[in-house]
Amino acid sequence: MSGLIRRRPRWHSLIPRLTLAVGAVALTGSIAAALQVRRVHVEGVGAPIRTQVEEVLAAAVGSSTLTVRAEELRAAVLHQVPWVADAAVSVSLDGVVHCAVTLRRPMALLVDGARSLLVDDSGRVLGEPQGEAFLPRLELIGFAAHPEERATLLAALPALETAWGGEVRRVERLGPRDVALQFVEGPPLVIADPSHPERLKEGRTVLTAWTRRFPTAVQRLDVRTPGRVAVAPATDGGTS
């Protein structure tokens, strides 16, 4: 006697496999969401520069932490935010981009007409002053369109100050190799070639001898010619 053999529909056997597949997809989606960059954290700098750095790093938000490259983010910050001298960037698996910033130090105020910009010791333009705390004493006049010359001048500045024995307060560009230096201590104005700081020492010696011998103040010294110092006495007893 042959009985009736009943077979369960095949789809019943597929249910466990479908359940596993759906679970795997859900798990994969959860992992992908968990490994996304969710926020950025910037330290070592205050606003508004911090905001500029955050805006650059925000491009990584929503990307996978496994594909985001910290070095690429660092390069972007260095390129796009002039104030940043260095940035230590890391990306954690919990979705946070950490960035520790080291700022450039403003060295001088670059005066261009009515506009003033801050520059660092290499002559790089940092931006407009952000409060009195960012205002250096040194002013550069006429160097806005000559970045290479201002870089050369700032590199030579320590030697110029050492040779004269005083701090420079103001430098005006007179030509490609000629500048007028004004020192914190006051007159005279010293016309010099920044590439020859040793000549300022000769000028200082001449000024000291002049002051001891003559009652008339010196308005200007020109130390551009080797072995010679041109002296321009002040007129009408005044100085400039």
Side-chain angles (χ1 to χ4, degrees):
M1 176 178 177
S2 63
L4 180 63
I5 300 176
R6 295 184 177 181
R7 298 181 179 275
R8 298 178 63 186
R10 289 186 177 182
W11 62 269
H12 283 286
S13 63
L14 296 178
I15 290 178
R17 298 180 183 179
L18 290 174
T19 302
L20 290 175
V22 171
V25 170
L27 180 61
T28 301
S30 299
I31 294 175
L35 294 179
Q36 283 185 345
V37 175
R38 296 177 287 105
R39 65 185 181 91
V40 300
H41 174 72
V42 179
E43 59 184 34
V45 60
I49 301 172
R50 182 180 63 243
T51 301
Q52 297 177 32
V53 176
E54 288 173 343
E55 289 175 351
V56 174
L57 297 177
V61 174
S63 302
S64 170
T65 57
L66 300 178
T67 59
V68 171
R69 298 290 180 262
E71 280 302 312
E72 293 180 359
L73 294 177
R74 175 180 178 272
V77 170
L78 295 179
H79 178 70
Q80 298 182 43
V81 186
W83 273 99
V84 177
D86 198 4
V89 180
S90 63
V91 183
S92 61
L93 291 178
D94 60 353
V96 182
V97 174
H98 298 268
C99 181
V101 174
T102 301
L103 290 180
R104 296 181 183 274
R105 185 175 69 90
M107 177 72 175
L109 198 62
L110 183 64
V111 180
D112 182 20
R115 189 186 186 195
S116 297
L117 298 170
L118 292 169
V119 296
D120 67 2
D121 57 1
S122 69
R124 178 189 176 107
V125 175
L126 303 178
E128 297 183 351
Q130 304 291 334
E132 295 183 359
F134 287 94
L135 292 179
R137 177 181 292 184
L138 177 63
E139 291 185 351
L140 305 181
I141 314 296
F143 286 91
H146 306 279
E148 293 183 0
E149 290 182 26
R150 69 172 177 261
T152 299
L153 168 71
L154 290 171
L157 193 64
L160 293 169
E161 293 181 330
T162 298
W164 181 260
E167 182 182 355
V168 175
R169 182 179 69 84
R170 186 175 185 270
V171 184
E172 182 176 359
R173 180 184 183 274
L174 303 179
R177 300 182 62 183
D178 302 325
V179 297
L181 304 171
Q182 186 173 356
F183 293 86
V184 171
E185 65 190 39
L189 201 64
V190 181
I191 311 301
D193 178 350
S195 63
H196 292 284
E198 71 282 355
R199 295 175 189 170
L200 269 76
K201 189 173 183 179
E202 300 174 6
R204 185 71 174 195
T205 300
V206 170
L207 177 63
T208 300
W210 177 282
T211 302
R212 290 174 179 174
R213 184 172 180 182
F214 302 105
T216 306
V218 175
Q219 177 177 325
R220 186 176 68 253
L221 290 175
D222 190 332
V223 299
R224 290 175 292 181
T225 303
R228 178 186 174 189
V229 178
V231 180
T235 57
D236 299 329
T239 60
S240 62

